[in-house]
Amino acid sequence: MSALTVRYFAGARAAAGGVWTEAASATSLAELSRVLADRHGSRLGTVLDAASFLVDGLACHDRHAALPDGSTVDVLPPFAGG
């Protein structure tokens, strides 16, 4: 289990109840999404299903790839107009 820092942007922050950053533990983005949806509710779960993720500043498209311990995961919901 990797200790992570999660940062929320735009609509993801709103869906997480205004939380900007928090700690979480997970081995993959798929597991992290489940942990965060359990923590914050189904509204965030819906956003996470459509979100893009950056892991330490790099786009990660494989939701089952291992997350390195100490990583920062940015949650980027779809943005209007682009």
Side-chain angles (χ1 to χ4, degrees):
M1 189 78 54
S2 298
L4 309 166
T5 299
V6 180
R7 299 188 305 185
Y8 299 100
F9 292 87
R13 184 182 308 163
V19 173
W20 153 246
T21 186
E22 66 181 328
S25 294
T27 58
S28 67
L29 291 174
E31 182 181 7
L32 180 62
S33 292
R34 286 190 298 276
V35 167
L36 298 175
D38 287 348
R39 186 180 293 175
H40 294 287
S42 62
R43 182 173 171 216
L44 180 59
T46 299
V47 171
L48 293 170
D49 287 344
S52 297
F53 298 90
L54 301 179
V55 178
D56 291 333
L58 299 173
C60 183
H61 303 289
D62 181 356
R63 292 188 183 225
H64 298 285
L67 292 171
D69 191 44
S71 294
T72 296
V73 178
D74 295 329
V75 180
L76 307 171
F79 293 94

